[in-house]
Every structure is written in C-alpha cells, then in structure tokens.
Amino acid sequence: METVTPMLRQYLEIKKAYPGTILFFRLGDFYEMFNEDAIVGSRELEITLTARQKDSPNPIPMCGIPHHAASNYIARLVRKGYRVAICDQTESPGKGTKLVKREVVRVITPGTAIDPQLTQSKDPVYLAALSQEGVDTVGLAFLDVSSGQFYSTQTTGAGSLQKIFDEIGAFGPRELLFPRSMERLICQTFEDQDASPSLFEDKIGKNVVSTLALTPLDDGDFEVAEAKRILADHLAVKELTAFGLEGKIAAISAAGACLRYARETQRASAGHISEIRYYEPADFMVLDAVTLRNLEIFESRGEKTRNTLFGLIDECVTGMGSRLLKQWLLRPSLKRGEIQTRLAAVTELSDSIVREKLRFLLKKVSDLERVIGRLNMATATPRDLVALKQSIEQCPKVNDVLADSSALLLQVLSENIFELPEIRDLIDRAISDEPPVAFGDGGIIRFGFDSELDDLREISSSAKQVIAAFEEKERERTGITNLKIRFNNVFGYYIEISKGNLSRVPDDYQRRQTLTNAERYSTPQLKEWEEKVLSADENIIQIEVELFKKVRESVCAETPKLQSTARALATLDALCALSEVAARRNFVCAVLHDGDEIEIKNGRHPVVEAGIGGSFVPNDVLMNNSTDRLLIITGANMGGKSTILRQTAIIQILAQIGSFVPATSARLPVLDRIWTRVGASDDLASGRSTFMVEMTETAAILHNATGRSLILLDEIGRGTSTFDGLSIAWSVAEFLHDSPEHSAKTMFATHYHELTELAESLPGARNYQITAAERDGNVVFLHKLQAGKASKSYGIAVAKLAGLPQPVIERAKSVLEKLEKYELAVFSDERKIGLAKAASGRIAAQFSLFAVSNESAIDSLRNMDVESLSNEDARQLLLDIKQKIV
C-alpha cells in the first residue's frame, strides 16, 4: 500500500472495511470502481473497463459511472444480488486540500432496497433473518425497510424446518441473514447440488430461491441480550412484552439482527420502523409454494401475468393497497371474526356511489408507506413531500365519505385516518408545487418562506441590475461620469477610473490595480455585493437543503400518525378492490360456519371465466368430513376435472381473505391448509424424475394433512407403470379416507376408473364425473360435475383434436378395442369379497388383478395345433406363453 497514491490508499482502506460489496468511490462527478470491483462492474453493467497507471507494470483496473445516473446502475447490480457501498465526499475541497475526506454513507443490499428504481409498487421488499436456539427452536424475522413492516416468529419441535420453509416461501424475502456458524448448512441447503436444492425450491418456490441473497453475519450479531437491547432502544420500551416477544428467544435474536443490519447499512435511525408484530404460523392458512404455483395465485406458467388470481382481483389504485391484498392472499386468515369484519365492509362498499367516491379519492394518494420510509431514511426528494401533501389532502374527504358507515371496520379505518392540517400547511408554505428532483437545481423552497433565501434569490436573479444601480450611484456620488464597474476572474468586481479623474476618487476607495490609462478600485460595499453575488447560488442550495431537512424533520415527527393513516388507506383500498371485483364478476358473500361442510352452488373458476368470457359452466360441490370426505372424480380429458379442483380451492381462499366468491351461494368452514398435487415436471438438476417429484409432494400431504385441510389430488400415480400407479393411487385414497389423524376433505381426480370401486366400500367416498358426450363421432365436453362414474376418458378424441395424424388415430382405436376386449374386472376389493376378522387374526381374501393380461398369449393358445406338437415343442410353447403373461 506504501507505493500507491494517497487517493488509492484511501480507497483500499475503505474497501477493506466493506468486504463483500462493490464500492462506488466518488471522484468529482463520477463514481469509480477499482480492481475486482471494476471487473465485475464492467461485466454486469456493460461499461468500458479501463485502467489507472496504464504504463506501470501493474495497471489498476477501473471503470466509472456519472454520479447523477448512479441510481439506475446500482439498481441493476442489486437486482443481480450484489451489495453496493456508496462512498461520498463528506467535505468540500478547499485551498491546499490534497485529499478530501470520504466515507461510506449507505450500503444498498437486495433486502434493504428503498429507492423507487429498486422496488415494485405491488411487491414488498423483505429482509429476513434466521436464528437457532438449542436443537429444535428456530426464529425468523422479516423486515420491509421501505415501508417499516416488521414481523417475527419462531417454531419449536418436530416439523420446525417445514414451517420455516413455508414462512420464507410466503414472505419471499430478497435477502437472508444468518449466523456464520450456520453458513455451511445454509449454503448447502440453498446452493449445493449435492444437497438437493430443488427439494428446497419445492418448499419455498424457485423464484424465491433464485432471487434470495445469502448474507452470513458474525454470531455475535445474533446474541440475545444485545438483540433485546437494540429492539427495546429502537422501539423506546423497557420490555418487549407488549409486542408478544416475551420468552421468544429465537424470534428476538432474529429480529435484533435484522434491525441492526438495516440501520447499519442505511446509516439512518429508521424511525418509521415503529413496531414489531409477533405472529404464530398457525394464525394463518398455509399455502406453500407448490400450492401457490398449482393454483396460479401469483404466477401462471412461471410468469407474473394478469391471468392469475391476484391479477384478477387486484383492482387497487395504490401500491400499498396492492401489497396488502397480496399479503392477505399469501396468508388467509383463520380468525372467523376478522374475516367476517372484512366481509361486512366489502358488503357495505357494494354501494357503487360510495365505492366510486372512495376510489376516486384514493387514486390521488401516493405510496405513503414508502414515502414515509424514505423520509425517515433521509433519502426522500422534495417531490416526495409534495406527494405526501397531496395524499393527506384527501384524508378529510375520505373521512367525509366514511362518516355514515355502519360496518365496524370502516368506522375503525376512519378513526385511524389522521387529517394532519399542520403538516399539510407546512409543506404547502415551504415546498414549491413542482420542485426539481435534484437539490442542486434549486427552486425547492417556495418564495416567501424564508427571508434570507428570498434576498439571495433576488441577488442571484438581478445581479446585473444591482451592479448597474451601484455604478450609477457611484457616478453621482463622485461626479465621475465615465466611472465603470467591471468584472474579471482574477479580481472579481472592480471600479475603473481614468487617470484624469483620480483627484475625485473618494477616500473609501481601495486601490486594486494600476493600468497605463486607469486605476482599478474596490469598496467595502462592492466587495460585500461581490461576495453575495458570487456565493448566492451556492448559498441558495445550502439554505434550501437545510430548510428541506427542517421540514422533513417536522414531518417525521408525525410518523406514527402518518403510518396509521397509510395503513388505513391501504386497507380501505384493498376492501374497495374486493368490492369492485365482486360487482364486476358477479361474486356473492359466502357464509362461514364452525362446521366442516363445504357447500358451493354454481361455483366458477374466476380466472378461467374471465379468460373465456361468459360461456363458463358452473358446478356444485358438496364435501364434509363424514359422508362426503373423499370425492373420486373421473371424466374426459379436457373435461374440466382440474378446473373443478382449482376453483374449489380458490373459492375457499377468497372467502378466508374476506372476499366475495364466484358462485350463487357458498357455505364454507375455516380451513387451516390447502394441499395440492397437480401436474409435475422433471427436476433433472437434482436427479428427480416427474414421478419422484409427484411422490415427494404426495408424501408431504399424507404426513401433514389434518381434518381441517383441503386436499386436491390430480392424477396420482400417472408417472409410473399402470399397475404401479393404480396401486399407489388406490392406497393413497384409502389412507386419506381411513387415517384418523390425516383424513382431510379430498378431491381426487383420476383416469384410473378402477378407483371408482372405492365408493362402493368406503362410507365417506363418493363418485363424481365430468360429463361428456359423443356426437357424430366427435366428443363434446359438457364440463358438468355430476354424481356417478365415467366409463371413458376420450383420450383418443382429444388426441384427434390436438392434430395427431389420422393413421395414428385409427390404429389407436384398434388397439384400444382389443385392450378393452380382454381386460377383465379389476380390484375385487378386500372389503367387497368378504373381509373377516377372527379371534385368531385377520383373514384376507385372495383376489386377482387380471384373469388374462395379454392378447397375444390367448391368440397363441387359440391357434395351437395340439396333435402335431412334439414334447419339446409343447414345452417351448408353454414357456413362451408363460413369459407373455408374467
């Protein structure tokens, strides 16, 4: 380091203090990157890589970006998982200063992004922290720095890891903090192929894994006593009992590390993080990554599109409303009272006049949650203050509309929407209506707010007039008619008097320079004006910045009321959106009850219905935990079995977030979880076939489902041979029906028509079919769910519709005819043929799957010429036939 320049030595010292980051080092109007940072930055940002000290034996790689465009470049790096440290000049260069002071003012990481370029209005940006206490207690914390939302939980005992997976999958954090002692375990779980990362991806979602940055911290950052102190000091309390954290050691440890990391990286007090909410995972319906994917709640075929449930119901007009609605969908409530309170509000908002008034006002509300966050993190712009003022200007009008509300939730929301006239007035007096984005452009503070600033602006805008007036005044005072005031970069402003008028020069004139034909002077007043004029613009910027900070501090002092207002407006927006969807889509209010029965009349799949228009065929569903526990659904390919399964789950989810549902009526229980096993794909990276994925998901269901769960199974066992698959499907269905611990309401869609025999022996099983008809040799899908069992799957008809060549279709029909001709009765169930229990034990009846299994073996027997066979030929023929039927 002794051989490098002072500037590079300064860079290297700062870089050493921030390992694992790309250091943006301010040099003049550029942020520069050096060494490995420059190589990475050049590659990722697609900018030119150059070098410092090019002619030396060891040139230093470097690249740079203009400081005014840094936000977009930083955003690109952070989206790719990098951490960026911003190192700015913290003092102005002065005369004789060779090296200005520089320090890191902020570290931007994937989980602490608050800038608009790094956030999507409808998506939260969570920083997560994980800690472990003892052998089987794990704590989690989730912090959205941009909005101040802060949550914590912990799990203990068997299944803790699964619950952790569920929570990480639900929150979808951008960054995960963990103790360095857990680094090997965590990195293996997420990254090491030998550790089957796809097993983890199935738990929390591939998109979460692909965007999750892993950040190990020193174990001391998770020390419980220090975590308690940090949380208590920040929340201004002596004990954490009020936040539900008493005795929750692992949760406290994770939360403390999370908050500490956010404050240290942002170099700010983060006053908008004003509370932490402890929750139990059992407080919400569990929708794991597999279920979210299978039901297409947020993504369709791996992409965020309008063709999802969230895309359909998100009629919110604010970003914070959309984020809240997404949170409701990710974690539907299990509290019947809370659900019914929302339903009552949605019902009252069915009044289109009231709803439209509110939505019109809410459209003028900006993302208050994030504006408040930026104000408290000292990254807000003047335009953020204007947006805040315009937003809270709507509050009195919103409260006027809500004044006559009868729904309890709407009344509570109105009570929490603060009108804050003092803040509105302050911003209105202080900040221009259309301020610039950057402070250096001037014009932030309104004229008339500060007299000193007004004087400087007057000087700056009328410098020429001021000098001209001063010149005329001096001519009159001295009587020198050719007196001139001039300016140059060496002497600044000066008075020039010809040699012939030197006798008239006043005593207060100070000689500056002698010329051949003239003398140049200055006066204290002229010097004062010169300093004002030359420094006016610089002083204007400094004063505007200071005034802006004072206004910001005054606004931040009202953070609790502003946050309460923001959350109330977000909730109102989400409720209005649900009411708007109900009106547009003809949804009805479901009746929630304490029993176990699902009764849906004319239910519809809202996303499918929206996609195809008004031709959707509605269906009824009746399920309970006794007589209609297991619904075995058969029917044609493309007939709509999967749609029935999905729409039942979607109706249940909508009801538990407080939404109306797509049906003519619905009576629903409160479910703890929805499990799905729908479709599959190969996971070759970890060596798992389609069938392995299928069985892994099925195993999770069989081990963890409860009587308060809903299970949707679509084509269990199709990934292996017919007999293997049928056997597995049969036993899975029996297990779900019989298990006292895991017997949940189950919809079982299958092409194994043999499974319909279960309904004849299992008291809680029922057969249903999706109807179809053949007309003139073509299949017509009726999409209607009816009691009974289908006799055909119409697979060849679907293949024809798909465009398979006609010879292939004809041959398939021929093969099918022969197979059906020789297939005999399948699965004479143990219960059907007489299962008996004796004192000595259980006597099981014997049964045969198939009496004849191969057409060619039968043909060989039929065509055999017994009279002409030798003993050896007969023996060989029997061996051949035996081989065929094995």
Side-chain angles (χ1 to χ4, degrees):
M1 189 175 289
E2 291 75 8
T3 60
V4 301
T5 64
M7 185 277 294
L8 281 176
R9 184 179 297 110
Q10 183 185 50
Y11 167 85
L12 292 172
E13 289 173 351
I14 295 173
K15 173 66 179 175
K16 184 178 180 181
Y18 291 90
T21 67
I22 294 178
L23 183 63
F24 275 31
F25 191 75
R26 181 72 177 267
L27 287 178
D29 291 334
F30 281 79
Y31 281 117
E32 300 288 354
M33 290 164 273
F34 298 99
N35 299 325
E36 184 64 28
D37 286 358
I39 296 172
V40 173
S42 173
R43 181 185 70 241
E44 299 291 354
L45 299 175
E46 300 177 343
I47 56 179
T48 302
L49 179 67
T50 181
R52 196 177 184 92
Q53 302 175 358
K54 293 182 180 179
D55 298 330
S56 69
N58 298 304
I60 301 172
M62 68 176 291
C63 65
I65 58 172
H67 78 93
H68 64 270
S71 295
N72 291 328
Y73 289 103
I74 293 170
R76 289 170 62 182
L77 288 172
V78 174
R79 286 194 196 103
K80 295 182 178 183
Y82 294 99
R83 303 166 73 242
V84 179
I86 309 299
C87 181
D88 273 335
Q89 297 175 182
T90 54
E91 67 176 355
S92 300
K95 292 183 179 180
T97 302
K98 294 183 179 180
L99 184 65
V100 298
K101 184 179 179 181
R102 295 181 176 87
E103 60 184 35
V104 171
V105 297
R106 189 178 169 206
V107 179
I108 305 173
T109 75
T112 59
I114 61 175
D115 302 292
Q117 297 91 339
L118 284 165
T119 56
Q120 298 293 326
S121 63
K122 297 184 179 183
D123 294 329
V125 181
Y126 281 115
L127 170 71
L130 183 153
S131 67
Q132 186 169 11
E133 293 294 326
V135 178
D136 59 355
T137 301
V138 182
L140 273 175
F142 300 94
L143 171 61
D144 185 349
V145 180
S146 69
S147 66
Q149 300 285 345
F150 198 8
Y151 304 96
S152 187
T153 189
Q154 73 178 42
T155 62
T156 302
S160 292
L161 189 59
Q162 174 63 55
K163 293 176 183 177
I164 294 301
F165 289 158
D166 291 336
E167 294 308 302
I168 293 177
F171 279 89
R174 303 275 188 89
E175 185 175 7
L176 178 65
L177 312 176
F178 53 89
R180 202 172 299 278
S181 59
M182 297 178 66
E183 184 170 8
R184 182 176 181 182
L185 172 63
I186 295 294
C187 291
Q188 280 185 344
T189 302
F190 283 84
E191 296 176 343
D192 189 351
Q193 294 299 316
D194 293 336
S196 297
S198 294
L199 289 171
F200 192 77
E201 290 172 358
D202 285 344
K203 301 293 186 186
I204 69 171
K206 292 185 178 181
N207 288 337
V208 175
V209 171
S210 65
T211 59
L212 184 60
L214 303 177
T215 304
L217 301 177
D218 291 339
D219 284 29
D221 291 336
F222 292 83
E223 202 275 322
V224 176
E226 180 65 8
K228 282 184 179 179
R229 186 194 65 79
I230 290 172
L231 290 170
D233 288 351
H234 183 85
L235 299 173
V237 295
K238 289 186 176 181
E239 299 291 338
L240 300 175
T241 306
F243 300 100
L245 288 170
E246 182 67 26
K248 304 296 191 299
I249 302 301
I252 291 172
S253 173
C258 211
L259 179 60
R260 177 177 181 171
Y261 182 81
R263 288 169 51 174
E264 288 182 350
T265 56
Q266 301 308 293
R267 296 291 193 275
S269 61
H272 65 300
I273 305 172
S274 56
E275 65 177 357
I276 181 171
R277 301 178 188 177
Y278 180 83
Y279 72 94
E280 294 287 353
D283 292 341
F284 304 96
M285 177 195 284
V286 178
L287 298 173
D288 59 23
V290 173
T291 298
L292 292 172
R293 180 179 68 243
N294 288 337
L295 297 180
E296 298 183 324
I297 303 296
F298 299 107
E299 295 180 356
S300 178
R301 300 185 180 183
E303 297 181 358
K304 295 180 179 180
T305 69
R306 185 75 180 171
N307 299 321
T308 63
L309 181 59
F310 179 65
L312 182 83
I313 69 171
D314 181 25
E315 292 291 344
C316 295
V317 295
T318 69
M320 55 188 182
S322 293
R323 291 196 300 275
L324 180 61
L325 184 59
K326 176 174 281 191
Q327 183 178 329
W328 288 355
L329 266 180
L330 279 166
R331 306 163 73 209
S333 178
L334 295 184
K335 299 176 182 177
R336 183 177 159 194
E338 180 180 43
I339 299 168
Q340 291 179 323
T341 301
R342 290 181 193 168
L343 286 173
V346 173
T347 300
E348 184 163 335
L349 293 171
S350 297
D351 184 328
S352 60
I353 296 176
V354 173
R355 186 175 68 250
E356 285 307 313
K357 283 182 180 179
L358 291 171
R359 284 168 61 81
F360 176 78
L361 295 172
L362 289 169
K363 286 178 182 178
K364 300 179 182 179
V365 175
S366 62
D367 196 335
L368 276 180
E369 287 182 336
R370 286 181 170 168
V371 169
I372 296 165
R374 290 194 292 273
L375 285 167
N376 279 270
M377 302 298 283
T379 63
T381 67
R383 292 185 181 181
D384 283 328
L385 279 178
V386 174
L388 185 143
K389 181 196 74 171
Q390 293 173 346
S391 298
I392 59 178
E393 282 176 346
Q394 312 311 313
C395 293
K397 303 172 187 177
V398 170
N399 281 333
D400 286 344
V401 178
L402 295 176
D404 297 326
S405 298
S406 58
L408 177 61
L409 180 53
L410 296 182
Q411 294 173 2
V412 172
L413 292 179
S414 181
E415 292 171 359
N416 285 275
I417 296 175
F418 295 93
E419 299 180 3
L420 299 169
E422 299 85 0
I423 294 299
R424 297 202 313 267
D425 178 67
L426 173 62
I427 298 173
D428 188 56
R429 289 187 295 106
I431 307 298
S432 302
D433 289 334
E434 296 182 1
V437 176
F439 290 96
D441 295 336
I444 294 171
I445 304 299
R446 192 186 294 275
F447 184 83
F449 183 71
D450 183 84
S451 58
E452 181 183 1
L453 178 62
D454 292 344
D455 290 343
L456 288 172
R457 284 172 170 167
E458 185 68 26
I459 293 170
S460 178
S461 62
S462 58
K464 290 183 178 180
Q465 292 88 336
V466 170
I467 295 301
F470 184 76
E471 183 182 72
E472 184 61 30
K473 179 181 177 182
E474 289 303 298
R475 284 176 180 176
E476 293 177 359
R477 182 166 79 96
T478 63
I480 303 173
T481 57
N482 64 351
L483 179 150
K484 297 179 181 179
I485 296 180
R486 300 180 184 276
F487 176 84
N488 65 34
N489 291 328
V490 177
F491 294 103
Y493 286 100
Y494 57 85
I495 301 170
E496 186 171 287
I497 298 176
S498 62
K499 292 285 189 180
N501 290 307
L502 294 182
S503 61
R504 299 182 179 182
V505 174
D507 292 340
D508 60 341
Y509 275 33
Q510 302 168 354
R511 181 180 284 105
R512 302 290 300 275
Q513 187 180 21
T514 299
L515 303 179
T516 303
N517 298 317
E519 293 285 341
R520 291 177 174 175
Y521 297 89
S522 182
T523 70
Q525 186 177 7
L526 179 62
K527 188 66 177 176
E528 181 181 349
W529 275 108
E530 174 188 320
E531 291 176 355
K532 284 186 176 182
V533 170
L534 294 181
S535 63
D537 289 341
E538 181 179 347
N539 288 337
I540 285 171
I541 300 303
Q542 291 178 350
I543 291 175
E544 284 201 326
V545 169
E546 289 304 315
L547 291 173
F548 175 81
K549 287 181 179 178
K550 290 180 180 179
V551 174
R552 187 185 67 204
E553 290 171 0
S554 297
V555 174
C556 288
E558 298 293 344
T559 291
K561 290 183 178 179
L562 286 168
Q563 286 185 320
S564 173
T565 300
R567 290 165 187 167
L569 292 174
T571 304
L572 184 60
D573 188 19
L575 294 170
C576 284
L578 294 179
S579 185
E580 181 73 12
V581 171
R584 290 187 187 183
R585 305 290 179 184
N586 193 27
F587 289 9
V588 300
C589 184
V591 176
L592 295 172
H593 59 85
D594 294 327
D596 57 42
E597 188 174 67
I598 294 176
E599 183 179 6
I600 300 170
K601 297 291 186 182
N602 293 312
R604 312 185 305 276
H605 191 303
V607 181
V608 175
E609 181 182 39
I612 65 176
S615 59
F616 189 90
V617 178
N619 278 293
D620 300 343
V621 172
L622 175 65
M623 301 185 74
N624 53 46
N625 281 21
S626 54
T627 58
D628 295 81
R629 180 188 304 170
L630 174 65
L631 306 191
I632 300 171
I633 305 173
T634 52
N637 283 294
M638 290 182 59
K641 296 190 299 297
S642 295
T643 301
I644 290 289
L645 268 60
R646 288 182 170 96
Q647 78 185 40
T648 303
I650 285 174
I651 288 171
Q652 185 71 46
I653 290 169
L654 286 174
Q656 287 189 224
I657 70 169
S659 170
F660 285 16
V661 300
T664 58
S665 68
R667 291 184 65 256
L668 303 170
V670 176
L671 300 182
D672 66 355
R673 184 161 190 161
I674 293 178
W675 297 89
T676 62
R677 203 349 292 162
V678 181
S681 58
D682 286 327
D683 190 353
L684 300 179
S686 60
R688 297 195 303 157
S689 66
T690 298
F691 185 64
M692 185 60 180
V693 173
E694 179 183 337
M695 290 297 99
T696 300
E697 294 177 0
T698 304
I701 295 171
L702 299 185
H703 284 297
N704 297 288
T706 73
R708 295 179 61 204
S709 301
L710 173 64
I711 300 175
L712 309 178
L713 301 178
D714 194 359
E715 303 301 346
I716 289 292
R718 300 297 287 185
T720 185
S721 70
T722 300
F723 295 158
D724 279 353
L726 177 54
S727 302
I728 292 172
W730 186 286
S731 60
V732 165
E734 282 187 337
F735 180 87
L736 289 172
H737 180 279
D738 295 345
S739 171
E741 183 180 358
H742 304 295
S743 56
K745 287 181 282 290
T746 303
M747 302 183 78
F748 199 130
T750 183
H751 283 294
Y752 291 133
H753 295 161
E754 296 82 1
L755 293 183
T756 59
E757 295 185 18
L758 286 170
E760 299 177 21
S761 58
L762 301 181
R766 293 289 181 269
N767 282 328
Y768 283 86
Q769 61 175 317
I770 301 293
T771 55
E774 288 186 272
R775 297 173 185 170
D776 300 326
N778 296 315
V779 64
V780 177
F781 302 112
L782 303 179
H783 304 295
K784 199 66 181 173
L785 183 68
Q786 295 181 349
K789 52 187 178 181
S791 59
K792 301 176 66 174
S793 293
Y794 298 100
I796 294 176
V798 174
K800 181 179 179 181
L801 290 174
L804 263 63
Q806 190 60 32
V808 174
I809 298 297
E810 294 302 325
R811 176 56 179 160
K813 289 180 179 178
S814 175
V815 172
L816 177 62
E817 183 179 357
K818 291 182 179 180
L819 289 174
E820 289 178 340
K821 178 179 179 182
Y822 288 103
E823 183 179 354
L824 301 180
V826 180
F827 272 104
S828 297
D829 182 81
E830 293 177 348
R831 294 180 180 85
K832 283 178 56 179
I833 63 173
L835 180 63
K837 287 188 177 180
S840 59
R842 192 168 182 262
I843 305 173
Q846 301 297 313
F847 62 91
S848 172
L849 287 179
F850 293 96
V852 182
S853 63
N854 190 290
E855 178 187 357
S856 63
I858 296 173
D859 289 340
S860 296
L861 289 171
R862 183 181 295 116
N863 299 325
M864 180 174 53
D865 184 358
V866 179
E867 298 298 332
S868 63
L869 287 177
S870 65
N871 290 340
E872 185 60 31
D873 290 339
R875 182 176 180 277
Q876 185 59 48
L877 180 59
L878 289 173
L879 287 174
D880 292 342
I881 292 174
K882 180 180 179 182
Q883 183 66 33
K884 289 177 181 179
I885 64 173
V886 169

Short mmCIF file of all heavy atoms in Angstrom, two decimals, residues 243-264:
data_model
loop_
_atom_site.label_atom_id
_atom_site.label_comp_id
_atom_site.label_asym_id
_atom_site.label_seq_id
_atom_site.Cartn_x
_atom_site.Cartn_y
_atom_site.Cartn_z
N PHE A 243 -45.09 -6.45 22.62
CA PHE A 243 -45.04 -6.88 21.22
C PHE A 243 -45.16 -8.40 21.07
O PHE A 243 -44.95 -8.93 19.98
CB PHE A 243 -43.74 -6.39 20.58
CG PHE A 243 -43.60 -4.90 20.58
CD1 PHE A 243 -42.79 -4.28 21.54
CD2 PHE A 243 -44.27 -4.10 19.67
CE1 PHE A 243 -42.65 -2.90 21.57
CE2 PHE A 243 -44.14 -2.73 19.69
CZ PHE A 243 -43.34 -2.12 20.64
N GLY A 244 -45.47 -9.08 22.18
CA GLY A 244 -45.66 -10.52 22.13
C GLY A 244 -44.38 -11.32 22.07
O GLY A 244 -44.40 -12.50 21.71
N LEU A 245 -43.25 -10.70 22.42
CA LEU A 245 -41.96 -11.37 22.29
C LEU A 245 -41.42 -11.94 23.60
O LEU A 245 -40.31 -12.46 23.63
CB LEU A 245 -40.93 -10.39 21.70
CG LEU A 245 -41.11 -10.06 20.22
CD1 LEU A 245 -40.20 -8.90 19.83
CD2 LEU A 245 -40.81 -11.27 19.35
N GLU A 246 -42.17 -11.81 24.66
CA GLU A 246 -41.70 -12.31 25.96
C GLU A 246 -41.40 -13.81 25.89
O GLU A 246 -42.25 -14.62 25.53
CB GLU A 246 -42.76 -12.05 27.03
CG GLU A 246 -42.35 -12.49 28.42
CD GLU A 246 -41.21 -11.65 28.97
OE1 GLU A 246 -41.07 -10.49 28.53
OE2 GLU A 246 -40.45 -12.17 29.82
N GLY A 247 -40.16 -14.17 26.18
CA GLY A 247 -39.75 -15.57 26.17
C GLY A 247 -39.48 -16.15 24.80
O GLY A 247 -39.08 -17.32 24.68
N LYS A 248 -39.64 -15.37 23.74
CA LYS A 248 -39.41 -15.86 22.37
C LYS A 248 -37.96 -15.57 21.98
O LYS A 248 -37.66 -14.65 21.20
CB LYS A 248 -40.39 -15.20 21.40
CG LYS A 248 -41.87 -15.36 21.77
CD LYS A 248 -42.29 -16.82 21.74
CE LYS A 248 -43.79 -17.00 21.83
NZ LYS A 248 -44.38 -16.48 23.06
N ILE A 249 -37.05 -16.35 22.54
CA ILE A 249 -35.62 -16.07 22.42
C ILE A 249 -35.15 -16.08 20.97
O ILE A 249 -34.46 -15.17 20.50
CB ILE A 249 -34.80 -17.09 23.25
CG1 ILE A 249 -35.23 -17.04 24.71
CG2 ILE A 249 -33.32 -16.81 23.10
CD1 ILE A 249 -35.07 -15.69 25.36
N ALA A 250 -35.54 -17.11 20.23
CA ALA A 250 -35.09 -17.22 18.84
C ALA A 250 -35.66 -16.10 17.98
O ALA A 250 -34.98 -15.56 17.10
CB ALA A 250 -35.48 -18.59 18.27
N ALA A 251 -36.92 -15.75 18.22
CA ALA A 251 -37.54 -14.67 17.46
C ALA A 251 -36.86 -13.34 17.75
O ALA A 251 -36.63 -12.52 16.85
CB ALA A 251 -39.03 -14.59 17.78
N ILE A 252 -36.53 -13.09 19.02
CA ILE A 252 -35.85 -11.85 19.41
C ILE A 252 -34.47 -11.79 18.76
O ILE A 252 -34.06 -10.74 18.23
CB ILE A 252 -35.72 -11.77 20.94
CG1 ILE A 252 -37.11 -11.56 21.56
CG2 ILE A 252 -34.77 -10.67 21.36
CD1 ILE A 252 -37.12 -11.66 23.08
N SER A 253 -33.76 -12.89 18.78
CA SER A 253 -32.43 -12.94 18.19
C SER A 253 -32.47 -12.59 16.71
O SER A 253 -31.67 -11.78 16.23
CB SER A 253 -31.84 -14.35 18.39
OG SER A 253 -30.63 -14.49 17.69
N ALA A 254 -33.40 -13.17 15.97
CA ALA A 254 -33.52 -12.89 14.54
C ALA A 254 -33.94 -11.45 14.29
O ALA A 254 -33.39 -10.78 13.41
CB ALA A 254 -34.52 -13.86 13.91
N ALA A 255 -34.89 -10.95 15.07
CA ALA A 255 -35.38 -9.59 14.87
C ALA A 255 -34.31 -8.56 15.17
O ALA A 255 -34.16 -7.56 14.45
CB ALA A 255 -36.62 -9.35 15.74
N GLY A 256 -33.54 -8.78 16.25
CA GLY A 256 -32.48 -7.85 16.58
C GLY A 256 -31.43 -7.77 15.50
O GLY A 256 -30.96 -6.68 15.13
N ALA A 257 -31.03 -8.92 14.96
CA ALA A 257 -30.04 -8.94 13.87
C ALA A 257 -30.58 -8.23 12.63
O ALA A 257 -29.86 -7.51 11.94
CB ALA A 257 -29.67 -10.38 13.55
N CYS A 258 -31.85 -8.44 12.35
CA CYS A 258 -32.49 -7.84 11.19
C CYS A 258 -32.47 -6.31 11.29
O CYS A 258 -32.08 -5.60 10.35
CB CYS A 258 -33.92 -8.36 11.09
SG CYS A 258 -34.56 -8.50 9.42
N LEU A 259 -32.90 -5.79 12.43
CA LEU A 259 -32.97 -4.34 12.63
C LEU A 259 -31.58 -3.72 12.63
O LEU A 259 -31.35 -2.67 12.01
CB LEU A 259 -33.68 -4.03 13.94
CG LEU A 259 -33.81 -2.55 14.31
CD1 LEU A 259 -34.58 -1.79 13.25
CD2 LEU A 259 -34.46 -2.40 15.68
N ARG A 260 -30.66 -4.37 13.28
CA ARG A 260 -29.29 -3.85 13.34
C ARG A 260 -28.68 -3.76 11.95
O ARG A 260 -28.08 -2.74 11.59
CB ARG A 260 -28.44 -4.75 14.24
CG ARG A 260 -26.98 -4.34 14.33
CD ARG A 260 -26.24 -5.23 15.30
NE ARG A 260 -24.85 -4.86 15.44
CZ ARG A 260 -24.05 -5.37 16.36
NH1 ARG A 260 -24.50 -6.25 17.23
NH2 ARG A 260 -22.79 -4.99 16.43
N TYR A 261 -28.87 -4.77 11.16
CA TYR A 261 -28.33 -4.80 9.80
C TYR A 261 -28.93 -3.67 8.96
O TYR A 261 -28.22 -2.97 8.23
CB TYR A 261 -28.62 -6.15 9.17
CG TYR A 261 -28.08 -6.35 7.77
CD1 TYR A 261 -26.75 -6.71 7.56
CD2 TYR A 261 -28.91 -6.21 6.66
CE1 TYR A 261 -26.27 -6.91 6.28
CE2 TYR A 261 -28.43 -6.42 5.38
CZ TYR A 261 -27.11 -6.77 5.19
OH TYR A 261 -26.63 -6.98 3.92
N ALA A 262 -30.24 -3.47 9.08
CA ALA A 262 -30.90 -2.42 8.31
C ALA A 262 -30.38 -1.04 8.69
O ALA A 262 -30.09 -0.20 7.83
CB ALA A 262 -32.41 -2.49 8.52
N ARG A 263 -30.22 -0.80 9.98
CA ARG A 263 -29.74 0.52 10.41
C ARG A 263 -28.30 0.76 10.02
O ARG A 263 -27.92 1.87 9.62
CB ARG A 263 -29.92 0.64 11.93
CG ARG A 263 -31.38 0.78 12.35
CD ARG A 263 -31.59 0.63 13.83
NE ARG A 263 -30.71 1.46 14.64
CZ ARG A 263 -30.81 1.57 15.96
NH1 ARG A 263 -31.74 0.90 16.61
NH2 ARG A 263 -29.98 2.34 16.63
N GLU A 264 -27.48 -0.27 10.12
CA GLU A 264 -26.07 -0.11 9.78
C GLU A 264 -25.86 0.10 8.29
O GLU A 264 -25.02 0.90 7.88
CB GLU A 264 -25.27 -1.31 10.27
CG GLU A 264 -25.10 -1.36 11.79
CD GLU A 264 -24.27 -2.53 12.24
OE1 GLU A 264 -23.97 -3.41 11.38
OE2 GLU A 264 -23.91 -2.59 13.43
#
